[in-house]
Amino acid sequence: MVKNASSLSLEYLVAPMAKSYRVVTITGKNAEHGQLTYNKQVEKQIINFLWLQ
């Protein structure tokens, strides 16, 4: 699990250089930090970020 406070801290660090920054809450199966690469919600978010923006 990645705590929301951690993601918000990252926003503060990358905001000056990032074109955009979005926080997404992932829940359900494979929602723990070590399992996120196997989560369909994460997969969809990555595909949308890379190909549909």
Side-chain angles (χ1 to χ4, degrees), residues 1-11 21 23-25:
M1 176 185 302
V2 177
K3 301 286 184 185
N4 193 37
S6 297
S7 65
L8 296 176
S9 296
L10 181 61
E11 179 180 14
Y21 185 88
V23 175
V24 178
T25 301

Side-chain angles (χ1 to χ4, degrees), residues 31-52:
E32 294 183 21
H33 188 264
Q35 296 295 313
L36 289 175
T37 56
Y38 306 106
N39 187 294
K40 292 295 182 186
Q41 294 175 64
V42 174
E43 182 179 309
K44 184 177 178 182
Q45 291 292 325
I46 292 170
I47 290 169
N48 288 340
F49 176 78
L50 292 175
W51 302 108
L52 302 177

